[in-house]
Amino acid sequence: MSAFQTKKLPEFKPDLESESFSPGKILLATLKRDVKLAFRRQSDWVNPLIFFLMVASLFPLGVSPEPKLLSTIAPGVVWVAALLSTLLSMDSLFRSDFEDGSLEQILVSPQPLYFVVLGKVISHWMMTGLPLTLMAPLLGVMLFLPFEGMGGLVLSLLIGTPTLSLVGGIGAALTVGLRKGGVLVSLLVIPLYIPVLIFGTAAIEASLTGLPVAGHLALLGAMLVMGLTLAPLAIAAALRISVSG
């Protein structure tokens, strides 16, 4: 037998049940990746904040600078501005991954697509919905919203904006293969945003009048739980349809 006889190398067989494919690690890896990419493309998260501030600032100029009137319409103005600002950034949720081909790699990978999609939506909310929520009290002061309504404003946005990202992700996934899908995303998603808008503004109105806010927040929370459960499944199915089509 030759002294230079080589040994047969063992075959590499990926263990899909191993810890590297655990849902938590997939979620965190996707979250880290998308947050890093968002910081490199600062316009993706800075533009919605500027738009949010501009929309709320234009209302006093277009309606009336009277403090009493502004305090009355402040809940609706802030929520509509937050809704439109979230919608502004939805088209780019999967666009860059689709253009560079990484979305196809994600779809054919053995990793559960549910957690990959959920990680991308959470990162979108962290870069869009969370900053909008933190900026909302400033806009409330600009619109003469009484201090009693600030708690309802922040809590309703904190619970409601993740639902906006989840629902908007469905529209973004359906139109990811289209060149000009931004308008179509708006047409698909805005009707689904109406319940969140209604209960979000109702929570602020209830806090202003001294009525219980828990019922409105509970309904927003129920919509959030439903969105966390069902929206990633719908987004995953929509991505497969868009990419295969």
Side-chain angles (χ1 to χ4, degrees):
M1 183 178 293
S2 173
F4 297 99
Q5 183 179 2
T6 58
K7 295 182 180 180
K8 186 179 179 181
L9 295 176
E11 295 182 3
F12 174 71
K13 296 181 179 180
D15 183 11
L16 299 183
E17 302 296 329
S18 65
E19 190 180 356
S20 60
F21 284 87
S22 65
K25 286 197 172 185
I26 295 170
L27 184 64
L28 289 176
T30 307
L31 193 59
K32 284 182 180 179
R33 171 186 177 272
D34 280 30
V35 169
K36 286 181 180 179
L37 290 176
F39 276 111
R40 292 177 184 174
R41 302 189 302 263
Q42 296 185 3
S43 60
D44 288 351
W45 59 275
V46 172
N47 289 346
L49 297 180
I50 297 175
F51 182 80
F52 182 55
L53 184 61
M54 288 179 61
V55 169
S57 302
L58 289 174
F59 267 90
L61 301 176
V63 181
S64 172
E66 184 182 354
K68 186 176 180 180
L69 177 61
L70 290 177
S71 64
T72 304
I73 65 173
V77 170
V78 174
W79 253 101
V80 169
L83 186 151
L84 295 176
S85 300
T86 303
L87 195 59
L88 181 67
S89 61
M90 286 312 314
D91 186 52
S92 61
L93 181 58
F94 302 107
R95 180 72 58 187
S96 60
D97 290 335
F98 177 78
E99 290 175 350
D100 62 18
S102 59
L103 184 59
E104 295 182 5
Q105 298 298 320
I106 293 172
L107 292 177
V108 300
S109 68
Q111 301 171 357
L113 189 56
Y114 178 96
F115 296 99
V116 176
V117 167
L118 185 59
K120 295 183 74 66
V121 173
I122 292 174
S123 67
H124 174 270
W125 175 78
M126 288 177 62
M127 304 307 298
T128 306
L130 185 57
L132 293 178
T133 303
L134 298 177
M135 191 185 290
L138 174 62
L139 269 64
V141 173
M142 289 173 53
L143 296 172
F144 299 98
L145 182 70
F147 181 76
E148 292 79 8
M150 292 296 180
L153 174 66
V154 174
L155 287 175
S156 63
L157 286 172
L158 191 63
I159 302 173
T161 48
T163 308
L164 298 182
S165 295
L166 288 163
V167 175
I170 301 174
L174 286 170
T175 59
V176 69
L178 305 178
R179 290 185 178 180
K180 297 181 180 179
V183 177
L184 188 56
V185 171
S186 303
L187 294 175
L188 291 172
V189 168
I190 285 180
L192 302 176
Y193 278 175
I194 292 176
V196 183
L197 176 64
I198 291 173
F199 291 111
T201 54
I204 306 173
E205 294 287 351
S207 63
L208 287 173
T209 55
L211 296 174
V213 189
H216 303 291
L217 296 180
L219 288 170
L220 288 173
M223 285 186 277
L224 176 58
V225 171
M226 185 180 297
L228 287 171
T229 305
L230 301 178
L233 299 175
I235 294 171
L239 286 175
R240 289 192 176 95
I241 292 171
S242 298
V243 172
S244 63

